[in-house]
Coordinates of all heavy atoms in Angstrom, one line a residue:
S561 N -16.4 87.0 2.3 CA -16.0 87.2 3.7 C -16.7 88.3 4.4 O -16.9 88.3 5.6 CB -14.5 87.3 3.8 OG -14.0 88.3 3.0
I562 N -17.1 89.4 3.6 CA -17.8 90.5 4.2 C -19.3 90.2 4.1 O -20.0 90.4 5.1 CB -17.5 91.8 3.4 CG1 -16.1 92.2 3.8 CG2 -18.5 92.9 3.7 CD1 -15.6 93.5 3.1
L563 N -19.8 89.7 3.0 CA -21.2 89.4 2.8 C -21.7 88.4 3.9 O -22.8 88.6 4.4 CB -21.4 88.9 1.4 CG -22.9 88.7 1.0 CD1 -23.5 90.1 0.9 CD2 -22.9 88.0 -0.4
D564 N -20.9 87.4 4.2 CA -21.3 86.4 5.1 C -21.4 86.8 6.6 O -22.1 86.2 7.4 CB -20.4 85.2 5.0 CG -20.5 84.5 3.7 OD1 -21.4 84.7 2.9 OD2 -19.6 83.7 3.3
N565 N -20.7 87.9 6.9 CA -20.7 88.4 8.2 C -21.4 89.7 8.4 O -21.5 90.3 9.5 CB -19.3 88.6 8.7 CG -18.5 87.2 8.8 OD1 -18.9 86.4 9.6 ND2 -17.6 87.0 7.9
M566 N -22.0 90.3 7.4 CA -22.7 91.6 7.4 C -24.0 91.5 8.2 O -24.8 90.5 7.9 CB -22.9 92.2 6.0 CG -23.5 93.5 6.0 SD -23.5 94.3 4.4 CE -21.8 94.7 4.2
E567 N -24.2 92.4 9.1 CA -25.5 92.3 9.9 C -26.6 92.8 9.0 O -26.4 93.5 8.0 CB -25.4 93.1 11.2 CG -25.1 94.6 11.0 CD -25.0 95.3 12.3 OE1 -25.9 95.1 13.2 OE2 -24.0 96.1 12.5
E568 N -27.8 92.5 9.4 CA -29.0 92.9 8.7 C -29.1 94.5 8.6 O -28.7 95.2 9.5 CB -30.3 92.4 9.4 CG -31.6 92.7 8.6 CD -32.8 92.1 9.3 OE1 -32.6 91.2 10.2 OE2 -33.9 92.4 8.9
P569 N -29.4 95.0 7.4 CA -29.5 96.5 7.3 C -30.3 97.2 8.4 O -31.3 96.7 8.8 CB -30.1 96.7 5.9 CG -29.8 95.4 5.1 CD -29.8 94.3 6.2
Y570 N -29.8 98.4 8.8 CA -30.4 99.1 9.9 C -30.4 100.6 9.6 O -29.7 101.1 8.7 CB -29.7 98.7 11.2 CG -28.2 99.1 11.1 CD1 -27.8 100.4 11.5 CD2 -27.2 98.2 10.7 CE1 -26.4 100.7 11.4 CE2 -25.9 98.5 10.6 CZ -25.5 99.8 11.0 OH -24.2 100.1 11.0
A571 N -31.1 101.3 10.5 CA -31.1 102.8 10.5 C -31.0 103.3 11.9 O -31.7 102.7 12.8 CB -32.3 103.3 9.7
Y572 N -30.3 104.4 12.1 CA -30.3 105.0 13.4 C -31.4 106.0 13.5 O -31.7 106.8 12.6 CB -29.0 105.8 13.6 CG -27.7 104.9 13.6 CD1 -26.9 104.9 12.5 CD2 -27.4 104.2 14.7 CE1 -25.7 104.1 12.5 CE2 -26.2 103.4 14.8 CZ -25.4 103.4 13.6 OH -24.3 102.6 13.7
I573 N -32.1 106.0 14.6 CA -33.2 107.0 14.8 C -33.2 107.4 16.3 O -32.8 106.6 17.2 CB -34.6 106.3 14.5 CG1 -35.7 107.4 14.7 CG2 -34.8 105.1 15.3 CD1 -37.1 106.8 14.1
N574 N -33.5 108.6 16.6 CA -33.5 109.1 17.9 C -34.5 108.3 18.8 O -35.6 108.0 18.3 CB -33.9 110.6 17.9 CG -33.9 111.2 19.3 OD1 -34.8 111.1 20.1 ND2 -32.8 111.9 19.7
K575 N -34.1 108.0 20.0 CA -34.9 107.1 20.8 C -36.3 107.8 21.1 O -37.3 107.1 21.1 CB -34.2 106.8 22.1 CG -34.9 105.7 22.9 CD -34.2 105.3 24.2 CE -34.8 104.2 24.9 NZ -36.3 104.4 25.2
D576 N -36.3 109.1 21.3 CA -37.6 109.7 21.6 C -38.6 109.6 20.4 O -39.8 109.4 20.5 CB -37.4 111.2 22.0 CG -36.7 111.3 23.3 OD1 -36.8 110.4 24.1 OD2 -36.2 112.4 23.6
D577 N -38.0 109.8 19.2 CA -38.8 109.7 17.9 C -39.3 108.2 17.8 O -40.5 108.0 17.5 CB -37.9 110.0 16.7 CG -37.7 111.5 16.5 OD1 -38.6 112.3 17.0 OD2 -36.7 111.9 15.9
A578 N -38.4 107.3 18.1 CA -38.8 105.9 18.0 C -40.0 105.5 19.0 O -40.9 104.8 18.7 CB -37.6 105.0 18.2
D579 N -39.8 106.0 20.2 CA -40.8 105.8 21.2 C -42.2 106.4 20.8 O -43.2 105.8 21.0 CB -40.4 106.4 22.6 CG -39.3 105.7 23.2 OD1 -39.0 104.5 22.8 OD2 -38.6 106.2 24.1
R580 N -42.2 107.6 20.2 CA -43.4 108.2 19.8 C -44.1 107.4 18.7 O -45.3 107.4 18.6 CB -43.1 109.6 19.3 CG -44.3 110.4 18.8 CD -43.9 111.9 18.5 NE -42.7 111.9 17.6 CZ -42.8 111.8 16.3 NH1 -44.0 111.6 15.7 NH2 -41.7 111.9 15.5
L581 N -43.3 106.8 17.9 CA -43.8 105.9 16.8 C -44.1 104.5 17.1 O -44.5 103.7 16.3 CB -42.8 106.0 15.6 CG -42.6 107.3 14.9 CD1 -41.5 107.3 13.9 CD2 -43.9 107.8 14.2
G582 N -43.8 104.2 18.4 CA -44.0 102.8 18.9 C -43.0 101.8 18.3 O -43.3 100.6 18.2
I583 N -41.8 102.3 18.0 CA -40.8 101.4 17.4 C -39.7 101.1 18.5 O -39.1 102.0 19.0 CB -40.1 102.1 16.2 CG1 -41.2 102.3 15.1 CG2 -39.0 101.2 15.6 CD1 -40.7 103.2 14.0
N584 N -39.5 99.9 18.8 CA -38.5 99.5 19.8 C -37.2 99.2 19.1 O -37.1 98.9 17.9 CB -38.9 98.2 20.5 CG -40.2 98.5 21.4 OD1 -40.3 99.5 22.0 ND2 -41.1 97.6 21.3
H585 N -36.1 99.2 19.8 CA -34.8 99.0 19.3 C -34.8 97.5 18.7 O -35.2 96.6 19.3 CB -33.7 99.0 20.4 CG -32.3 98.8 20.0 ND1 -31.6 99.9 19.5 CD2 -31.5 97.7 19.9 CE1 -30.4 99.4 19.1 NE2 -30.3 98.1 19.4
G586 N -34.3 97.5 17.4 CA -34.2 96.2 16.8 C -35.4 95.8 15.9 O -35.4 94.9 15.1
E587 N -36.5 96.6 16.1 CA -37.8 96.3 15.3 C -37.7 96.9 14.0 O -37.0 97.9 13.8 CB -39.0 96.8 16.1 CG -39.3 96.0 17.3 CD -40.6 96.5 17.9 OE1 -41.1 97.6 17.7 OE2 -41.2 95.7 18.7
K588 N -38.4 96.4 13.0 CA -38.4 96.9 11.7 C -39.3 98.1 11.6 O -40.3 98.3 12.2 CB -38.9 95.8 10.7 CG -38.0 94.7 10.4 CD -38.5 93.7 9.4 CE -37.5 92.6 9.1 NZ -38.0 91.7 8.1
M589 N -38.8 99.0 10.7 CA -39.6 100.2 10.4 C -39.5 100.5 8.9 O -38.6 100.1 8.2 CB -39.1 101.4 11.2 CG -37.7 101.8 10.9 SD -37.1 103.2 12.0 CE -35.5 103.5 11.3
I590 N -40.5 101.2 8.4 CA -40.6 101.6 7.0 C -40.2 103.1 6.9 O -40.8 103.9 7.5 CB -42.0 101.3 6.4 CG1 -42.3 99.8 6.6 CG2 -42.0 101.7 4.9 CD1 -43.8 99.5 6.2
I591 N -39.2 103.3 6.0 CA -38.9 104.7 5.7 C -39.4 104.9 4.2 O -39.1 104.2 3.3 CB -37.3 104.9 5.7 CG1 -36.8 104.5 7.1 CG2 -36.9 106.3 5.4 CD1 -35.3 104.5 7.2
F592 N -40.2 106.0 4.0 CA -40.8 106.2 2.8 C -41.0 107.6 2.4 O -41.0 108.5 3.3 CB -42.1 105.4 2.7 CG -43.2 106.0 3.7 CD1 -44.2 106.8 3.3 CD2 -43.1 105.6 5.0 CE1 -45.1 107.3 4.2 CE2 -44.1 106.1 5.9 CZ -45.1 106.9 5.5
N593 N -41.2 107.9 1.1 CA -41.6 109.2 0.6 C -42.3 108.9 -0.7 O -42.7 107.8 -1.0 CB -40.5 110.2 0.5 CG -39.3 109.7 -0.5 OD1 -39.5 108.8 -1.3 ND2 -38.2 110.3 -0.4
S594 N -42.6 109.9 -1.5 CA -43.4 109.8 -2.7 C -42.7 109.0 -3.8 O -43.3 108.5 -4.7 CB -43.7 111.2 -3.3 OG -42.5 111.9 -3.6
L595 N -41.3 108.8 -3.6 CA -40.6 108.0 -4.6 C -40.6 106.5 -4.4 O -40.7 105.7 -5.3 CB -39.1 108.5 -4.7 CG -38.9 109.9 -5.3 CD1 -37.4 110.2 -5.2 CD2 -39.3 109.9 -6.7
S596 N -40.4 106.1 -3.1 CA -40.2 104.7 -2.8 C -40.3 104.5 -1.3 O -40.6 105.4 -0.5 CB -38.9 104.3 -3.3 OG -38.7 102.9 -3.2
S597 N -40.0 103.3 -0.9 CA -39.9 102.9 0.5 C -38.9 101.8 0.7 O -38.6 101.0 -0.2 CB -41.3 102.4 1.1 OG -41.7 101.2 0.5
I598 N -38.3 101.8 1.9 CA -37.4 100.7 2.3 C -37.7 100.3 3.7 O -38.3 101.1 4.5 CB -35.9 101.2 2.2 CG1 -35.6 102.4 3.1 CG2 -35.5 101.4 0.8 CD1 -34.1 102.8 3.2
T599 N -37.4 99.1 4.1 CA -37.7 98.5 5.4 C -36.3 98.1 6.1 O -35.5 97.4 5.5 CB -38.6 97.3 5.3 OG1 -39.8 97.6 4.6 CG2 -38.9 96.7 6.7
L600 N -36.1 98.7 7.2 CA -34.9 98.5 8.0 C -35.2 98.3 9.5 O -36.2 98.6 10.0 CB -34.0 99.7 7.9 CG -33.6 100.2 6.5 CD1 -32.9 101.5 6.6 CD2 -32.6 99.1 5.9
R601 N -34.2 97.6 10.1 CA -34.3 97.5 11.6 C -33.8 98.8 12.2 O -32.9 99.5 11.8 CB -33.5 96.3 12.1 CG -34.1 95.0 11.7 CD -33.6 93.8 12.6 NE -34.2 92.6 12.1 CZ -35.4 92.2 12.5 NH1 -36.1 92.9 13.3 NH2 -35.9 91.0 12.0
A602 N -34.5 99.2 13.3 CA -34.2 100.4 14.0 C -33.0 100.2 15.0 O -33.0 99.2 15.8 CB -35.4 101.0 14.7
K603 N -32.1 101.2 15.0 CA -31.1 101.3 16.1 C -31.4 102.6 16.8 O -31.1 103.7 16.3 CB -29.7 101.3 15.6 CG -29.2 99.9 15.1 CD -27.7 99.8 15.0 CE -27.2 98.4 14.8 NZ -25.8 98.3 14.7
T604 N -32.1 102.5 18.0 CA -32.5 103.7 18.7 C -31.3 104.2 19.5 O -30.6 103.5 20.1 CB -33.7 103.4 19.6 OG1 -33.3 102.4 20.6 CG2 -34.8 102.9 18.8
T605 N -31.1 105.6 19.5 CA -30.0 106.2 20.1 C -30.2 107.7 20.3 O -31.0 108.3 19.6 CB -28.7 106.0 19.2 OG1 -27.6 106.7 19.8 CG2 -28.9 106.5 17.8
Y606 N -29.5 108.2 21.3 CA -29.6 109.7 21.5 C -28.4 110.4 20.8 O -28.2 111.6 20.9 CB -29.6 110.0 23.0 CG -30.9 109.8 23.6 CD1 -31.0 108.8 24.6 CD2 -32.0 110.5 23.3 CE1 -32.2 108.5 25.2 CE2 -33.2 110.3 23.9 CZ -33.3 109.3 24.8 OH -34.6 109.0 25.4
D607 N -27.6 109.6 20.0 CA -26.5 110.2 19.2 C -27.0 110.8 17.9 O -26.2 111.5 17.2 CB -25.5 109.1 18.8 CG -24.7 108.6 20.0 OD1 -24.7 109.3 21.1 OD2 -24.1 107.5 20.0
V608 N -28.3 110.6 17.6 CA -28.9 111.2 16.4 C -29.9 112.2 16.9 O -30.7 112.0 17.8 CB -29.6 110.1 15.5 CG1 -30.3 110.8 14.4 CG2 -28.5 109.2 15.0
R609 N -30.0 113.4 16.2 CA -30.9 114.4 16.6 C -32.4 114.0 16.3 O -32.6 113.2 15.4 CB -30.7 115.7 15.8 CG -29.7 116.6 16.4 CD -29.7 118.0 15.7 NE -29.0 119.0 16.5 CZ -29.5 119.6 17.5 NH1 -30.7 119.3 18.0 NH2 -28.7 120.5 18.2
R610 N -33.3 114.5 17.0 CA -34.7 114.2 16.7 C -35.0 114.8 15.3 O -34.5 115.8 14.9 CB -35.6 114.9 17.7 CG -35.5 114.3 19.1 CD -36.6 114.8 20.1 NE -37.9 114.4 19.7 CZ -39.0 114.6 20.4 NH1 -38.9 115.2 21.6 NH2 -40.2 114.2 20.0
G611 N -35.9 114.1 14.6 CA -36.3 114.5 13.3 C -35.3 114.0 12.2 O -35.5 114.5 11.0
H612 N -34.3 113.3 12.5 CA -33.3 112.8 11.6 C -33.3 111.2 11.6 O -33.6 110.6 12.6 CB -31.9 113.2 11.9 CG -31.7 114.7 11.8 ND1 -32.4 115.6 12.6 CD2 -30.9 115.5 11.0 CE1 -32.0 116.9 12.3 NE2 -31.2 116.8 11.3
V613 N -33.1 110.6 10.4 CA -32.9 109.2 10.4 C -31.6 109.0 9.6 O -31.4 109.6 8.5 CB -34.1 108.5 9.7 CG1 -34.4 109.0 8.4 CG2 -33.8 107.0 9.7
V614 N -30.7 108.2 10.1 CA -29.3 108.0 9.5 C -29.2 106.6 9.1 O -29.3 105.7 9.8 CB -28.2 108.4 10.6 CG1 -26.9 108.2 9.9 CG2 -28.4 109.8 11.0
V615 N -28.9 106.4 7.8 CA -28.7 105.1 7.2 C -27.3 104.9 6.6 O -26.9 105.7 5.8 CB -29.8 104.9 6.1 CG1 -29.6 103.5 5.5 CG2 -31.2 105.1 6.6
P616 N -26.6 103.9 7.0 CA -25.3 103.6 6.5 C -25.4 103.2 5.0 O -26.1 102.2 4.7 CB -24.7 102.5 7.3 CG -25.5 102.6 8.6 CD -26.8 103.0 8.2
F617 N -24.8 103.9 4.1 CA -24.8 103.5 2.7 C -23.8 102.3 2.5 O -22.8 102.2 3.2 CB -24.3 104.7 1.8 CG -24.5 104.5 0.4 CD1 -25.8 104.6 -0.2 CD2 -23.4 104.2 -0.5 CE1 -25.9 104.4 -1.5 CE2 -23.6 104.0 -1.8 CZ -24.8 104.1 -2.4
G618 N -24.2 101.5 1.5 CA -23.3 100.4 1.2 C -23.9 99.1 1.8 O -23.4 98.0 1.6
Q619 N -25.0 99.2 2.5 CA -25.8 98.0 2.9 C -26.5 97.5 1.7 O -26.7 98.3 0.7 CB -26.8 98.4 4.0 CG -26.1 98.9 5.3 CD -27.1 99.2 6.4 OE1 -27.2 98.5 7.4 NE2 -27.9 100.3 6.2
N620 N -27.0 96.3 1.7 CA -27.6 95.8 0.5 C -29.1 96.2 0.5 O -30.0 95.3 0.6 CB -27.5 94.3 0.5 CG -27.7 93.7 -0.8 OD1 -27.8 94.4 -1.8 ND2 -28.0 92.4 -0.9
I621 N -29.3 97.5 0.4 CA -30.7 98.0 0.3 C -30.7 99.1 -0.8 O -29.7 99.6 -1.2 CB -31.1 98.7 1.7 CG1 -30.1 99.7 2.1 CG2 -31.3 97.6 2.8 CD1 -30.5 100.6 3.3
D622 N -31.9 99.4 -1.2 CA -32.0 100.4 -2.3 C -32.3 101.8 -1.7 O -33.3 102.4 -2.0 CB -33.2 99.9 -3.2 CG -33.1 100.7 -4.6 OD1 -32.1 101.4 -4.8 OD2 -34.0 100.5 -5.4
L623 N -31.3 102.2 -1.0 CA -31.4 103.5 -0.3 C -31.7 104.7 -1.2 O -32.5 105.5 -1.0 CB -30.2 103.8 0.5 CG -30.1 105.2 1.2 CD1 -31.2 105.3 2.2 CD2 -28.7 105.3 1.9
N624 N -31.0 104.6 -2.4 CA -31.2 105.8 -3.3 C -32.5 105.8 -4.1 O -32.8 106.8 -4.8 CB -30.0 105.7 -4.3 CG -28.7 106.2 -3.7 OD1 -28.7 106.7 -2.6 ND2 -27.6 106.0 -4.4
S625 N -33.3 104.8 -3.9 CA -34.7 104.9 -4.4 C -35.5 106.0 -3.8 O -36.5 106.5 -4.3 CB -35.4 103.6 -4.3 OG -35.7 103.3 -2.9
L626 N -35.1 106.5 -2.6 CA -35.7 107.5 -1.8 C -35.3 108.9 -2.2 O -35.8 109.9 -1.8 CB -35.5 107.3 -0.3 CG -36.1 106.1 0.3 CD1 -35.5 105.8 1.7 CD2 -37.6 106.2 0.4
I627 N -34.2 109.0 -3.0 CA -33.5 110.2 -3.2 C -33.8 110.8 -4.6 O -33.5 110.2 -5.6 CB -32.0 110.1 -3.0 CG1 -31.7 109.7 -1.6 CG2 -31.2 111.3 -3.4 CD1 -30.3 109.3 -1.2
E628 N -34.4 111.9 -4.7 CA -34.7 112.6 -5.9 C -33.5 113.1 -6.5 O -32.5 113.6 -5.8 CB -35.7 113.8 -5.6 CG -36.1 114.6 -6.9 CD -36.9 115.8 -6.5 OE1 -37.3 115.9 -5.3 OE2 -37.3 116.5 -7.4
G629 N -33.4 113.1 -7.8 CA -32.2 113.6 -8.5 C -32.1 115.1 -8.5 O -32.9 115.8 -9.3
R630 N -31.2 115.7 -7.7 CA -31.0 117.2 -7.7 C -29.6 117.5 -7.6 O -28.8 116.8 -7.0 CB -31.7 117.8 -6.5 CG -33.3 117.8 -6.6 CD -33.9 118.6 -5.5 NE -33.7 117.9 -4.2 CZ -34.1 118.4 -3.0 NH1 -34.8 119.6 -3.0 NH2 -33.9 117.8 -1.9
N631 N -29.2 118.6 -8.3 CA -27.8 119.0 -8.3 C -27.5 120.0 -7.1 O -28.5 120.7 -6.6 CB -27.4 119.7 -9.6 CG -27.1 118.8 -10.7 OD1 -27.7 118.8 -11.7 ND2 -26.2 117.8 -10.5
T632 N -26.3 120.1 -6.7 CA -25.9 121.1 -5.7 C -25.8 122.4 -6.4 O -25.9 122.5 -7.6 CB -24.5 120.7 -5.1 OG1 -23.6 120.5 -6.2 CG2 -24.6 119.4 -4.3

Side-chain angles (χ1 to χ4, degrees):
S561 55
I562 288 180
L563 190 63
D564 294 345
N565 294 294
M566 183 172 284
E567 62 181 311
E568 187 176 344
Y570 59 89
Y572 296 104
I573 183 173
N574 182 277
K575 190 176 185 307
D576 292 340
D577 284 335
D579 289 344
R580 178 173 54 83
L581 295 170
I583 300 170
N584 296 316
H585 185 86
E587 290 184 339
K588 288 184 178 181
M589 62 183 184
I590 300 173
I591 303 172
F592 64 99
N593 58 19
S594 61
L595 291 176
S596 187
S597 67
I598 58 175
T599 302
L600 301 170
R601 291 200 180 275
K603 284 197 172 184
T604 61
T605 176
Y606 285 114
D607 290 342
V608 173
R609 273 194 169 279
R610 293 188 67 173
H612 294 65
V613 58
V614 178
V615 181
F617 188 75
Q619 299 181 109
N620 198 15
I621 55 171
D622 197 4
L623 174 62
N624 285 350
S625 65
L626 296 165
I627 297 174
E628 179 186 357
R630 290 188 291 179
N631 283 124
T632 51

